[in-house]
Amino acid sequence: MWLRIQRLNQQRFVLTAKDCSTFVSAVCVHQLHTSSTEPASSSYNGLYPGHIHTTPIQKALLAVGSGVAALRDPYRHDMVAVLGEATGHFALINLRDRMRNDPEGYTILTERPRIRLSTIDVAKMASLPEGSFGREYVRFLEDNHVTPDSRADVKFVDDEELAYVMLRYREVHDLMHTLLGMPTNMLGEVAVKWFEAAQTGLPMCAFGAALGPLRLNARRLQTLVTSLGPWALRNGLRARFVLNIFYERRWEQSLEDLRQELNIEPPPVILSAAKKMST
Amino acid sequence: MFQRRSRGQKYTFWLRDGFRDGESEERIKSYHRPHRRSSMQKSEYTCDHRPRVYKVFENVAQKYDIMNDAMSLGIHRVWKDALLHVMHPQPGAQLLDVAGGTGDIAFRFLEYIRLQEERQKRRAARSSQTPSWQDISNNYSTEDESRESRAVVCDINKEMLKVGKQKADSLGVSAGLSWVVGDAEELPFDDDQFDIYTIAFGIRNVTHIDQALQEALRVLKPGGRFMCLEFSKVNNPILSSIYDAYSFQMIPVIGEVIAGDWKSYQYLVESIRKFPNQEEFKGMIEDAGFYCVKYYNLTGGVVALHSGFKL
């Protein structure tokens, strides 16, 4: 859960709340302005843990630098994340407003659930019936050798709520893979990026969607252009807004049922999971 | 006042060629001296930056050289070359490079000596037809030349030394090079061992600079030279504002993009600002007991090269 900080005189009190299921009412957050010479090991100066203040020039430099770094090495997830944060301010406001206007999305914004190994019960989800959303998600994690804990923290978003929206988007990304049935190889990632670009309008998604295909070989590029790409775009535009779904309460729901509810067609091509090297 | 160190417990052991992981560090630890300030631990006395500094350099070790090139736009090579030119080492010199990490100074030192030796051999070959009195007297003193010049790279951080060793292996340099784990405030070497002591861009990370200077005085031979390259104060106001803007805006961004570590590079930039300026540092070196202390400003004062002698 998010740490709230209040500053009284010279002392700093750090109040922590338990994860996940507590219902946290909107508490105003006092912004801390501490001098840069203080050690940052035990406390943090910023709007949320991990927040780093950046000037607009720095954001622009970060956007350019991380864009170049992400293009050169697409496996640098941290660079893709930084690119998203540096360029996504207006899109995040739009996403946050869409969440506020939807009852389920509003619940997410207030309850602030997190998808991490410490908050989801993987063993219980693995024991759910075949075809259920939770079971398919666990299968996706195992087949592709990924873990929900490998998402980078949000650092450069200058608003606490928008930072949560960004974090939620990042954590829901794996669930997108499950819903769309896409593995984590380059082709699957590009297909998911097309879907997300249509859904969220984040510049980073558009960037990845436009430049990702450059790294595909001819056969995969053809698959993308002829079947996967149009399918992803079409579904992205007509599906219900994915950030408005409280996934943690829907593990038992059947995957087909969830797809129908969200207005997503099943994938036209079945892609096999990536053979990944152990990192 | 600075206390003189007790010389009761001497280090009779120091590593020669290469170090074996773990083993050598254990041996150094067994010779560790007791704390001088017996009533207080060092970390209570002032804020001990060692754990923080260790973590910073552990994170950045792999990308250290790339980051140096990116941050200084390659100018750090010019600074290090300048250090060697001012040093002008002769064959047979013994160098201790403290906080030498990835070995830049040590490699340059060995290369410089090698070129010097080649030049001397060429000169000797040219004049071997009619030997001058100089050559005859040189022939008498050839026994001295059998002392090989050697460079010892000492660093507190094993990761940095590992990267340096890999560089040495890839360059094919191994003769006369040693890698030692050690703390600049308590060097694992005997007194009066080295001709030249260098510390390039390392002394600002030392918590007690005066102690490091005293250790430098201790391990140098009489007549030995202390040389320090460090970021310093830019006096020109225009250059200073450009430099500040570049440091605070660009460098953490470069750190994030290349090394994925904003905070470490922000720390590095801040540690530069906290370091004393040229005159103050010169005073500190003189207080430690060095003579003929002078400094050279490089790149308008961005970097200062301080030099002093132990007499």
Side-chain angles (χ1 to χ4, degrees):
Chain A
M1 279 306 235
W2 292 92
L3 294 172
R4 314 280 193 214
I5 290 193
Q6 283 183 319
R7 189 169 203 193
L8 291 172
N9 298 327
Q10 299 289 51
Q11 286 175 312
R12 219 174 295 138
F13 294 97
V14 176
L15 308 169
T16 56
K18 272 303 207 179
D19 299 0
C20 219
S21 48
T22 4
F23 192 88
V24 180
S25 55
V27 175
C28 65
V29 174
H30 293 272
Q31 187 168 346
L32 268 192
H33 293 284
T34 54
S35 69
S36 56
T37 52
E38 278 173 302
S41 50
S42 54
S43 59
Y44 61 89
N45 41 337
L47 300 165
Y48 49 86
H51 181 215
I52 298 174
H53 289 284
T54 42
T55 62
I57 305 174
Q58 284 178 318
K59 285 204 178 64
L61 291 169
L62 273 174
V64 171
S66 60
V68 169
L71 262 184
R72 292 186 61 189
D73 185 4
Y75 286 106
R76 281 204 66 182
H77 307 287
D78 56 332
M79 285 295 102
V80 177
V82 167
L83 179 64
E85 289 167 28
T87 54
H89 181 70
F90 298 108
L92 282 175
I93 292 178
N94 178 276
L95 296 180
R96 195 258 318 264
D97 292 341
R98 282 162 81 180
M99 285 176 83
R100 272 196 189 152
N101 293 334
D102 178 87
E104 204 171 349
Y106 185 75
T107 323
I108 297 173
L109 273 182
T110 39
E111 288 194 27
R112 305 271 179 104
R114 294 288 304 272
I115 302 177
R116 299 184 70 86
L117 283 177
S118 54
T119 58
I120 57 173
D121 192 348
V122 178
K124 182 161 157 284
M125 278 163 52
S127 66
L128 289 173
E130 289 294 314
S132 64
F133 181 50
R135 182 75 190 90
E136 294 306 310
Y137 176 56
V138 171
R139 176 168 295 133
F140 163 79
L141 288 178
E142 285 165 1
D143 287 350
N144 292 278
H145 306 291
V146 291
T147 153
D149 286 355
S150 58
R151 301 290 142 212
D153 290 330
V154 178
K155 293 192 280 238
F156 303 113
V157 178
D158 289 332
D159 179 272
E160 199 246 334
E161 200 175 20
L162 293 181
Y164 176 72
V165 174
M166 189 69 187
L167 188 67
R168 180 77 182 159
Y169 156 75
R170 228 173 258 170
E171 291 183 344
V172 155
H173 177 78
D174 281 345
L175 300 174
M176 289 302 99
H177 275 278
T178 314
L179 273 178
L180 297 173
M182 291 288 113
T184 53
N185 56 18
M186 200 64 205
L187 180 58
E189 291 286 356
V190 174
V192 175
K193 273 285 168 290
W194 282 42
F195 178 84
E196 283 176 347
Q199 277 267 303
T200 62
L202 280 166
M204 174 261 289
C205 296
F207 184 78
L211 298 174
L214 295 175
R215 299 193 75 100
L216 292 173
N217 62 21
R219 184 177 58 86
R220 291 183 172 184
L221 192 58
Q222 193 182 25
T223 320
L224 179 72
V225 170
T226 50
S227 57
L228 272 186
W231 164 75
L233 264 182
R234 199 171 53 238
N235 282 280
L237 290 169
R238 70 180 211 177
R240 197 179 143 197
F241 186 43
V242 289
L243 287 183
N244 275 341
I245 314 294
F246 209 128
Y247 296 100
E248 289 86 342
R249 296 189 178 149
R250 291 169 182 262
W251 298 128
E252 291 89 14
Q253 191 174 0
S254 120
L255 183 59
E256 286 309 316
D257 195 32
L258 189 56
R259 277 181 182 158
Q260 271 191 341
E261 189 181 335
L262 295 181
N263 221 357
I264 295 176
E265 303 160 358
V269 179
I270 306 292
L271 296 177
S272 62
K275 292 194 234 350
K276 281 189 117 160
M277 301 180 287
S278 56
T279 41
Chain B
M1 272 307 293
F2 302 106
Q3 298 171 11
R4 294 301 296 167
R5 284 186 155 256
S6 67
R7 297 188 176 223
Q9 207 172 350
K10 284 194 186 270
Y11 290 124
T12 53
F13 164 83
W14 62 293
L15 292 174
R16 293 165 64 80
D17 302 290
F19 75 99
R20 292 168 285 277
D21 290 44
E23 187 186 53
S24 47
E25 202 201 348
E26 287 308 302
R27 275 195 255 180
I28 290 172
K29 272 190 189 154
S30 69
Y31 282 90
H32 218 254
R33 297 180 186 193
H35 280 295
R36 288 189 302 158
R37 300 178 228 279
S38 52
S39 52
M40 298 186 259
Q41 291 299 313
K42 276 187 191 159
S43 51
E44 292 168 9
Y45 185 70
T46 54
C47 175
D48 191 5
H49 291 304
R50 260 173 307 190
R52 175 94 192 264
V53 170
Y54 194 94
K55 209 84 194 79
V56 164
F57 283 94
E58 196 181 31
N59 294 339
V60 310
Q62 288 297 328
K63 300 270 179 79
Y64 186 72
D65 292 319
I66 305 174
M67 280 300 303
N68 278 344
D69 276 329
M71 289 192 291
S72 67
L73 308 170
I75 306 177
H76 74 107
R77 297 160 190 255
V78 173
W79 295 329
K80 288 169 184 165
D81 290 339
L83 173 65
L84 261 297
H85 279 290
V86 171
M87 191 197 296
H88 196 51
Q90 296 302 309
Q94 312 282 305
L95 171 79
L96 172 64
D97 184 23
V98 176
T102 52
D104 275 346
I105 304 293
F107 295 140
R108 281 176 168 79
F109 171 82
L110 292 172
E111 182 63 21
Y112 198 98
I113 299 257
R114 194 182 62 84
L115 288 174
Q116 288 279 80
E117 282 174 345
E118 272 182 20
R119 205 174 298 149
Q120 283 179 352
K121 281 199 202 107
R122 253 183 280 137
R123 215 178 297 144
R126 231 180 292 144
S127 59
S128 65
Q129 303 295 322
T130 50
S132 62
W133 65 267
Q134 185 82 9
D135 294 326
I136 295 170
S137 74
N138 280 346
N139 285 337
Y140 285 156
S141 56
T142 40
E143 306 90 66
D144 274 337
E145 293 301 298
S146 65
R147 237 177 105 228
E148 284 297 313
S149 41
R150 88 184 322 138
V152 179
V153 181
C154 178
D155 199 290
I156 201 172
N157 193 302
K158 277 174 279 190
E159 290 303 318
M160 296 288 281
L161 287 172
K162 257 189 226 159
V163 173
K165 277 196 89 186
Q166 283 166 7
K167 260 171 66 176
D169 292 337
S170 66
L171 286 173
V173 179
S174 59
L177 196 53
S178 315
W179 306 87
V180 178
V181 177
D183 183 351
E185 296 180 20
E186 279 194 71
L187 289 172
F189 304 110
D190 255 344
D191 302 356
D192 305 335
Q193 288 284 321
F194 298 100
D195 296 305
I196 308 164
Y197 173 111
T198 55
I199 182 164
F201 305 113
I203 204 160
R204 71 175 185 280
N205 295 310
V206 171
T207 314
H208 301 105
I209 297 177
D210 49 324
Q211 261 169 255
L213 292 172
Q214 285 193 345
E215 280 293 281
L217 190 73
R218 182 180 69 81
V219 301
L220 276 173
K221 292 182 196 162
R225 190 173 195 181
F226 166 87
M227 305 193 76
C228 172
L229 254 188
E230 194 48 78
F231 290 106
S232 204
K233 191 143 168 26
V234 179
N235 285 317
N236 181 322
I238 303 172
L239 190 59
S240 171
S241 54
I242 298 174
Y243 178 51
D244 282 346
Y246 179 77
S247 301
F248 285 104
Q249 303 286 331
M250 284 282 315
I251 289 189
V253 172
I254 299 176
E256 177 69 30
V257 170
I258 297 183
D261 197 348
W262 177 287
K263 296 257 182 211
S264 298
Y265 287 93
Q266 181 140 34
Y267 166 77
L268 290 178
V269 170
E270 286 164 8
S271 68
I272 292 174
R273 292 300 175 290
K274 287 196 213 160
F275 192 72
N277 66 20
Q278 286 89 329
E279 281 297 327
E280 278 174 41
F281 190 49
K282 176 180 167 199
M284 289 170 79
I285 300 176
E286 282 170 344
D287 284 343
F290 290 98
Y291 291 91
C292 309
V293 180
K294 50 192 303 218
Y295 61 85
Y296 308 83
N297 275 335
L298 305 171
T299 321
V302 172
V303 167
L305 168 55
H306 282 78
S307 156
F309 287 91
K310 170 177 178 176
L311 297 178

